């Protein structure tokens, strides 16, 4: 097996394997040759060569979103790295794990007018979860930093940036690894809801006659069908789903704008929920956002194991847990208050959709 001679490149390659980062999207260059040699000659990795860095980044984003695991991007030094930025921003806001591995020139060659040099360190500062600048010195510290970056991408679900300084020569190869690494693993600690933690909210939910569930970006088959059925058959609940929610039920409302767009003020007041429950990623519909900002619910709760955006300026509670775990607790009581909320809007749906 042909391997890069540089110990730092060997360390990164071995730790990628230890952390189960299998898919590598490479944009050809010279400064990143040690990484390219290592990945493409190792049987563990699935490598993809895409010349254009902007396209490569979105290609990697798609793989990571589909597989729900980190994908590595490898580029050469200079402005090549900046072409990753649109996809990095998307990964940051959409909680998609990406590992950016950018090759860089040594520090003494930066800022002297040499070709293909920019200030690469921390270049994604506003849209990155973790950023580190590595040099050939202190391999043990490098190992700690690399593992920290990988663990951040995995546990916090987002982009990380590892910038690696490589001295020439860049193409030297060896037959065996000269460094041996032990991965430092971390696990994601998901909070499980306890009945006593949310019993006040359960009471509010059960007694509210107008409950709206709004679902943003969501993976297919993510939510247990039994919970969807309970929501669908509750006369006090309407469920708005965006096209990206991947949730389908005959009693749900998939065409939000068609329902909302023609409404007058009195109808907006009829639609205004007592409780708004949201989960999934960002909501696209401008109309539903405008409606909920102008006709705010008494309570807005969001379920997500990582973060909650105050999109409607009335966020009351962030349940930092998995959606199925939350519903297991919230919907454990079979009590359902009588309401005509869903019935009325189902009749509107029949006319408009």
């Amino acid at each position: 097996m042909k391997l890069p001679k540089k110990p730092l490149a060997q360390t990164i390659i071995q730790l990628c394997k230890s952390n189960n980062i299998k898919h590598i999207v490479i944009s050809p260059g010279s400064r990143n040759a040690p990484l390219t040699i290592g990945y493409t000659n190792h049987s563990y990795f699935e490598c993809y060569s895409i010349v254009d860095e902007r396209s490569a980044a979105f290609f990697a984003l798609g793989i990571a979103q589909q597989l729900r695991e980190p994908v590595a991007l490898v580029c050469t030094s200079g402005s090549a790295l900046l072409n990753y930025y649109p996809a990095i921003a998307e990964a940051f806001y959409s909680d998609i794990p990406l590992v950016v591995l950018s090759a860089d020139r040594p520090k003494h060659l930066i800022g002297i007018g040499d070709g293909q040099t920019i200030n690469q360190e921390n270049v994604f500062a506003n849209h990155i979860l973790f950023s580190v600048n590595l040099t050939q010195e202190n391999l043990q510290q490098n190992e700690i930093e690399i593992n920290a970056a990988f663990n951040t991408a995995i546990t916090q679900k987002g982009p990380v940036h590892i910038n690696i300084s490589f001295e020439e020569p860049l193409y030297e190869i060896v037959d065996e690894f000269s460094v041996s690494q032990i991965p430092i693993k971390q696990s994601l600690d998901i909070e499980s809801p306890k009945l006593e933690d949310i019993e006040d909210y359960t009471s509010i939910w059960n007694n509210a006659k107008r409950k709206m569930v709004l679902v943003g970006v969501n993976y297919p088959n993510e939510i247990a069908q039994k919970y969807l059925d309970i929501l669908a058959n509750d006369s006090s609940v309407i469920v708005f789903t965006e096209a990206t929610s991947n949730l389908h039920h005959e009693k749900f409302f998939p065409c939000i704008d068609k329902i909302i767009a023609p409404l007058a003020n009195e109808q907006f007041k009829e639609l205004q929920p007592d409780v708004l429950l949201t989960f999934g990623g960002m909501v696209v519909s401008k109309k539903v956002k405008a409606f909920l900002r102008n006709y705010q619910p008494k309570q807005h709760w969001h379920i997500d194991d990582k973060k909650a955006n105050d999109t409607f300026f009335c966020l009351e509670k962030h349940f930092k847990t998995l959606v199925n775990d939350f519903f297991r607790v919230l919907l454990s009581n079979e009590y359902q208050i009588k309401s005509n909320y869903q019935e009325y809007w189902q009749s509107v749906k029949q006319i408009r959709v």
Side-chain angles (χ1 to χ4, degrees):
M1 181 167 57
K2 294 180 180 179
L3 298 167
K5 185 176 181 180
K6 295 192 176 299
L8 182 51
Q10 292 186 22
T11 298
I12 292 169
I13 290 160
Q14 289 197 89
L15 289 178
C16 269
K17 183 176 184 297
S18 296
N19 284 274
N20 301 314
I21 300 173
K22 182 183 182 70
H23 296 271
I24 316 295
V25 181
I26 302 170
S27 292
S30 183
R31 189 62 56 171
N32 59 337
L35 294 174
T36 302
I37 291 168
Y39 286 123
T40 56
N41 285 289
H42 198 300
S43 60
Y44 175 78
F45 298 104
E46 294 284 344
C47 296
Y48 312 84
S49 178
I50 299 180
V51 175
D52 177 69
E53 285 85 5
R54 182 185 171 96
S55 300
F58 279 104
F59 184 81
L61 188 76
I63 299 175
Q65 186 175 39
Q66 180 69 26
L67 298 179
R68 302 172 69 177
E69 62 186 43
V71 173
L73 281 161
V74 179
C75 73
T76 192
S77 62
S79 58
L81 176 62
L82 299 181
N83 290 295
Y84 285 162
Y85 214 139
I88 295 300
E90 179 67 29
F92 180 78
Y93 287 111
S94 298
D95 300 329
I96 299 173
L98 285 181
V99 175
V100 177
L101 301 170
S102 58
D104 200 358
R105 297 197 173 211
K107 191 172 183 178
H108 68 273
L109 294 179
I110 297 172
I112 63 169
D114 211 11
Q116 284 302 304
T117 58
I118 64 169
N119 293 319
Q120 295 182 205
E121 185 174 357
N122 208 26
V123 73
F124 304 120
N126 292 326
H127 300 92
I128 207 80
L129 297 180
F130 188 96
S131 184
V132 63
N133 197 58
L134 305 181
T135 61
Q136 300 299 316
E137 297 81 22
N138 198 348
L139 287 178
Q140 185 175 6
Q141 181 61 33
N142 285 339
E143 179 186 339
I144 293 172
E145 297 282 10
I146 296 164
N147 270 302
F150 290 167
N151 284 320
T152 299
I154 294 166
T155 61
Q156 296 187 34
K157 297 181 293 187
V160 299
H161 178 207
I162 302 174
N163 192 56
I164 312 127
S165 173
F166 287 130
E167 294 264 11
E168 293 189 14
L170 302 169
Y171 293 89
E172 292 181 310
I173 59 174
V174 292
D175 295 326
E176 296 179 354
F177 285 109
S178 60
V179 296
S180 178
Q181 308 299 332
I182 300 174
I184 303 170
K185 297 281 188 177
Q186 293 181 1
S187 59
L188 180 59
D189 184 18
I190 301 294
E191 296 179 18
S192 295
K194 297 179 177 61
L195 187 58
E196 60 269 23
D197 294 337
I198 65 168
E199 61 182 3
D200 289 341
Y201 295 93
T202 302
S203 176
I204 294 170
W205 175 266
N206 288 336
N207 288 288
K209 291 188 175 182
R210 297 195 292 190
K211 301 185 277 277
M212 179 183 293
V213 178
L214 176 59
V215 188
V217 180
N218 198 64
Y219 286 103
N221 305 313
E222 185 83 355
I223 312 303
Q225 186 62 42
K226 62 180 179 180
Y227 300 135
L228 301 180
D229 291 338
I230 291 173
L231 294 172
N233 293 314
D234 188 331
S235 63
S236 65
V237 174
I238 62 173
V239 180
F240 279 156
T241 60
E242 295 214 294
T244 53
S245 71
N246 288 297
L247 288 184
H248 308 281
H249 196 287
E250 63 180 0
K251 291 187 176 181
F252 289 175
F253 294 74
C255 301
I256 301 173
D257 287 1
K258 287 185 178 180
I259 299 293
I260 291 179
L263 298 184
N265 286 341
E266 287 304 313
Q267 288 179 301
F268 276 129
K269 291 178 181 178
E270 288 293 324
L271 183 61
Q272 183 179 15
D274 297 321
V275 176
L276 171 67
L277 180 64
T278 57
F279 62 88
M282 290 183 289
V283 172
V284 176
S285 170
K286 287 185 177 181
K287 288 182 172 60
V288 78
K289 284 187 280 192
F291 158 63
L292 289 168
R293 288 167 183 170
N294 290 324
Y295 297 86
Q296 293 180 336
K298 297 174 183 176
Q299 300 270 339
H300 173 206
W301 310 338
H302 186 75
I303 317 164
D304 188 272
D305 59 12
K306 179 182 176 184
K307 64 184 179 184
N309 292 317
D310 192 8
T311 304
F312 314 110
F313 312 127
C314 56
L315 183 66
E316 169 73 18
K317 178 65 176 177
H318 173 202
F319 292 99
K320 195 175 182 182
T321 188
L322 301 176
V323 178
N324 282 321
D325 288 342
F326 174 80
F327 281 144
R328 176 176 53 80
V329 177
L330 183 75
L331 304 178
S332 61
N333 189 328
E334 297 182 1
Y335 172 79
Q336 292 184 357
I337 196 167
K338 292 183 179 180
S339 171
N340 64 354
Y341 189 51
Q342 185 186 122
E343 181 183 5
Y344 175 80
W345 290 105
Q346 287 290 354
S347 66
V348 174
K349 174 185 172 184
Q350 293 300 318
I351 299 171
R352 300 231 173 104
V353 177

